[in-house]
Amino acid sequence: MHMDNYIVSARKYRPSTFQSVIGQKSLVVTLKNAIATGKLAHAYLFCGPRGVGKTSCARIFAKTINCLNLTAEGDACNACESCMAFSEHRSYNIHELDAASHNSVDDIRSLIEQVGIPPAIGKYKVFIIDEVHMLSPAAFNAFLKTLEEPPRHTIFILATTEKHKVLATILSRCQIYDFARISMDDTVEHLGNIARQEGISADAEALHVIAQKADGGMRDALSIFDQVASFSNGNISYQSVINNLNVLDYEYYFRLTDCVLQADVRQAVLTLNEILSKGFDGHNIITGLSSHFRDLLMCRDESTLELIEVGASIRERYKSTARRCPEVLLFKAIELANNCDMNYRTSRNKRLLLELTLIQLCRLTLPAEVAAGGDAAVGGDTVATVAPAAVKPAQAPVAARVSSLPPTTSIKAMSREADAKPDTAAAVVPEDYRDLASPFTEADLAREWDAYAQSVTDNDYLKGTMANHKPVLQDGFFFEVYVYNTIQEEELLNNSVKLLPFLRQQLKNGKIGMSVRINESIAKKRAYTTSEKFEHLYNVNPALAKLKDEFNLKAD
């Protein structure tokens, strides 16, 4: 095709009849009914985003009301002298003014001078003022009288992307039509039709990305379509669109989601670095991640699935990933990402803010991290609970719950709450024992507890804590451990991700859960004598006994 014959798609496929207008069905029906019944207003205001068909509809409206031989469907015939004049841009019945660049009083006065001249062919002269909100106050005032009482043969169509900037005195004199953003499905369908007419190969996923980038504007969508078609030499694939438009691939968001589910902080930060190295703006990354988590949440229920504007194959991937994401995790993930979005512009270290947000997201699935995040007073004690696992092997471990119980509530009640809510699951249990609930005694539990303590070789503090604080079996396969301080509590909870799977496997019971209590009465007991002080310190840190023996120290 020669360059001088090339016409951009936005012009070549601009609608010329109401029937060819995309995405404004109810509005078009209203306009056609007004024409059919002869109930025409003298002034209209077309409002809506850019590229949705405001000016096109104004021109079609002007052509249709002047057509000398309307079709049965109420469209212009495109064959009479009036229609031919419109199509060939030589009609004196239509006058356009771009108020963005012609907004002075003199521009309006020049337009008003044309108002009094009746049409040579057809019934009406139509004056289209685009971006009418850009008129100066003086121009608005000069226009008001004419707008209120125009000649019978004159119709004004004002168009604007910012209705709130139009004076109330103008709004009150017009019939107002609000143009909607063009839906993803309508945009994709229209682009697909154009691709077929132009002999261009186009993937559905690629067209979805173009439609998403256009954000409801058909003119933008067609411009992007032309750009990508040129870049890809007529073969529009998903990858060619991603590369040409520098759009962040869905794949990165799914990779980050996997990092969150697997609590893989390092891989999450590396993925972020990879994205940033490709030149993507950090703010766009975090807003895209927020939308990604939102879409996953919508995919968890069939009733909200229609709110996801993605292609069919990507939609299936969203659905399968959503099944692995508990709702409580997605709620928190959206909140964290949104907080990062709000703080991004004011942050002095934007990359660190992004990395910190990813770290926080990855912590959502770490039982120890969440359990250590808060305490609750229970009858003078502090309790933190690690609930039994209740997720499938394909799912990532989900954060443990920090539970708060009133003094009269037993640990059995906590067990029931944990069993009723799978999202409180903690460490992964080997599949062989996940569904087993073999009975065991407190002595059996103590034996395996000691066995695990003996196997610890790199953490003397944990080993000492387990040696001096034995588990007490409760109902529902829960057990309690009393400790003296938050350090011991955190040590047990931090290691529960390995301890609990060991106990569940050895005792063949996937429902085992642990609660850790801080005995405030013991922790706060005053030590008066030297021996009492040493005993207190020993209870806090059993490793002191080894120090005492090595240096032959005395406690009195």
Side-chain angles (χ1 to χ4, degrees):
M1 180 181 292
H2 295 293
M3 185 65 69
D4 56 355
N5 292 329
Y6 177 70
I7 303 175
V8 296
S9 296
R11 286 182 56 199
K12 185 175 181 179
Y13 293 97
R14 187 166 198 157
S16 59
T17 64
F18 282 127
Q19 192 173 0
S20 58
V21 174
I22 305 295
Q24 309 294 345
K25 187 174 181 179
S26 59
L27 187 147
V28 164
V29 168
T30 304
L31 288 175
K32 289 177 71 173
N33 286 342
I35 296 171
T37 58
K39 296 178 180 178
L40 301 180
H42 65 268
Y44 296 86
L45 180 64
F46 289 177
C47 317
R50 70 177 191 273
V52 296
K54 300 186 298 296
T55 307
S56 292
C57 277
R59 291 172 179 170
I60 294 168
F61 185 78
K63 181 167 70 171
T64 306
I65 61 176
N66 280 297
C67 178
L68 304 176
N69 187 22
L70 286 176
T71 67
E73 292 77 23
D75 279 313
C77 69
N78 284 324
C80 67
E81 174 56 29
S82 176
C83 286
M84 294 293 288
F86 269 93
S87 300
E88 295 168 8
H89 306 291
R90 55 181 176 81
S91 173
Y92 290 103
N93 286 0
I94 184 168
H95 300 268
E96 294 189 38
L97 177 71
D98 181 10
S101 54
H102 299 84
N103 53 14
S104 67
V105 174
D106 289 340
D107 292 318
I108 286 296
R109 284 175 178 163
S110 176
L111 181 144
I112 291 172
E113 288 175 3
Q114 302 291 325
V115 169
I117 304 172
I121 302 176
K123 299 178 182 178
Y124 301 97
K125 294 187 76 168
V126 180
F127 293 84
I128 301 172
I129 304 179
D130 206 6
E131 300 300 343
V132 69
H133 66 275
M134 300 285 283
L135 287 179
S136 66
F140 265 127
N141 291 330
F143 182 49
L144 276 177
K145 185 65 175 176
T146 303
L147 183 65
E148 187 171 24
E149 297 178 0
R152 292 177 61 85
H153 61 263
T154 301
I155 291 178
F156 289 102
I157 301 179
L158 315 180
T160 180
T161 53
E162 301 184 59
K163 181 170 67 173
H164 61 281
K165 292 185 178 180
V166 179
L167 294 181
T169 48
I170 298 288
L171 294 176
S172 64
R173 289 164 168 81
C174 301
Q175 278 192 11
I176 299 173
Y177 287 79
D178 290 300
F179 284 66
R181 292 183 183 276
I182 300 173
S183 71
M184 290 274 286
D185 290 343
D186 284 343
T187 303
V188 170
E189 182 181 358
H190 189 55
L191 293 178
N193 290 336
I194 291 175
R196 283 188 289 274
Q197 292 181 53
E198 295 292 324
I200 295 173
S201 170
D203 294 346
E205 291 301 339
L207 297 182
H208 265 93
V209 176
I210 293 174
Q212 192 173 44
K213 188 80 171 176
D215 194 26
M218 185 59 75
R219 184 172 62 241
D220 287 357
L222 291 170
S223 297
I224 297 170
F225 176 85
D226 285 348
Q227 175 184 332
V228 177
S230 177
F231 169 80
S232 62
N233 199 24
N235 184 19
I236 302 177
S237 65
Y238 174 75
Q239 198 58 48
S240 69
V241 173
I242 291 294
N243 294 340
N244 183 247
L245 300 181
N246 202 32
V247 173
L248 194 54
D249 191 352
Y250 292 113
E251 185 64 36
Y252 285 112
Y253 293 131
F254 284 114
R255 280 169 56 183
L256 287 173
T257 304
D258 287 339
C259 291
V260 171
L261 291 174
Q262 296 163 14
D264 194 340
V265 173
R266 290 172 181 81
Q267 189 55 51
V269 174
L270 288 172
T271 302
L272 173 64
N273 182 66
E274 183 181 342
I275 296 171
L276 290 171
S277 68
K278 291 180 179 292
F280 289 104
D281 176 68
H283 204 178
N284 290 340
I285 295 171
I286 199 62
T287 54
L289 192 59
S290 299
S291 298
H292 175 74
F293 287 133
R294 175 262 184 193
D295 288 347
L296 286 173
L297 183 62
M298 296 300 105
C299 278
R300 285 184 57 83
D301 193 295
E302 289 294 330
S303 63
T304 53
L305 193 58
E306 63 185 31
L307 300 178
I308 310 301
E309 293 186 325
V310 294
S313 62
I314 297 292
R315 184 186 296 257
E316 287 305 312
R317 188 169 181 188
Y318 265 104
K319 288 169 68 176
S320 64
T321 302
R323 286 193 288 268
R324 298 166 51 211
C325 301
E327 282 194 0
V328 65
L329 181 144
L330 291 174
F331 290 147
K332 191 64 179 175
I334 293 170
E335 181 183 7
L336 287 172
N338 190 56
N339 287 341
C340 179
D341 177 19
M342 291 189 294
N343 295 327
Y344 190 85
R345 294 193 186 280
T346 57
S347 173
R348 301 182 109 179
N349 191 335
K350 292 177 168 49
R351 179 171 184 142
L352 181 60
L353 177 63
L354 292 173
E355 291 174 341
L356 179 60
T357 300
L358 289 178
I359 292 169
Q360 291 174 319
L361 287 167
C362 290
R363 283 166 56 105
L364 294 177
T365 50
L366 284 176
E369 296 291 340
V370 178
D375 301 327
V378 183
D381 302 330
T382 300
V383 179
T385 302
V386 180
V391 292
K392 298 299 180 185
Q395 291 178 309
V398 183
R401 187 185 298 269
V402 178
S403 301
S404 174
L405 300 179
T408 57
T409 307
S410 68
I411 297 297
K412 185 174 182 179
M414 188 185 303
S415 172
R416 285 198 299 269
E417 178 191 357
D419 289 342
K421 296 183 178 180
D423 286 353
T424 64
V428 174
V429 181
E431 190 172 0
D432 292 349
Y433 307 106
R434 182 177 300 278
D435 297 322
L436 295 180
S438 302
F440 58 89
T441 65
E442 188 170 278
D444 295 331
L445 175 62
R447 182 185 70 248
E448 301 304 335
W449 178 271
D450 291 340
Y452 185 87
Q454 290 301 316
S455 71
V456 176
T457 58
D458 57 351
N459 190 335
D460 288 339
Y461 191 77
L462 172 64
K463 194 168 189 173
T465 300
M466 292 185 69
N468 289 283
H469 301 279
K470 302 298 183 181
V472 179
L473 188 61
Q474 307 291 323
D475 292 337
F477 304 120
F478 258 81
F479 65 87
E480 271 187 342
V481 185
Y482 274 87
V483 294
Y484 297 136
N485 55 51
T486 56
I487 299 175
Q488 292 176 327
E489 175 198 36
E490 288 183 7
E491 195 66 41
L492 286 175
L493 291 171
N494 285 341
N495 286 277
S496 64
V497 70
K498 295 180 180 178
L499 171 60
L500 284 178
F502 175 86
L503 296 176
R504 292 164 182 163
Q505 182 172 355
Q506 296 301 111
L507 297 171
K508 295 181 172 55
N509 189 314
K511 300 185 181 299
I512 294 175
M514 176 177 71
S515 63
V516 182
R517 285 183 186 268
I518 297 177
N519 192 324
E520 303 286 357
S521 59
I522 296 177
K524 293 177 181 178
K525 181 182 177 182
R526 297 283 304 272
Y528 295 99
T529 67
T530 305
S531 297
E532 286 176 337
K533 289 178 181 178
F534 175 78
E535 183 180 357
H536 176 71
L537 290 172
Y538 170 76
N539 285 329
V540 173
N541 188 350
L544 285 176
K546 185 178 180 181
L547 183 68
K548 172 177 173 290
D549 293 339
E550 285 184 0
F551 288 92
N552 196 25
L553 300 175
K554 294 184 178 180
D556 50 33

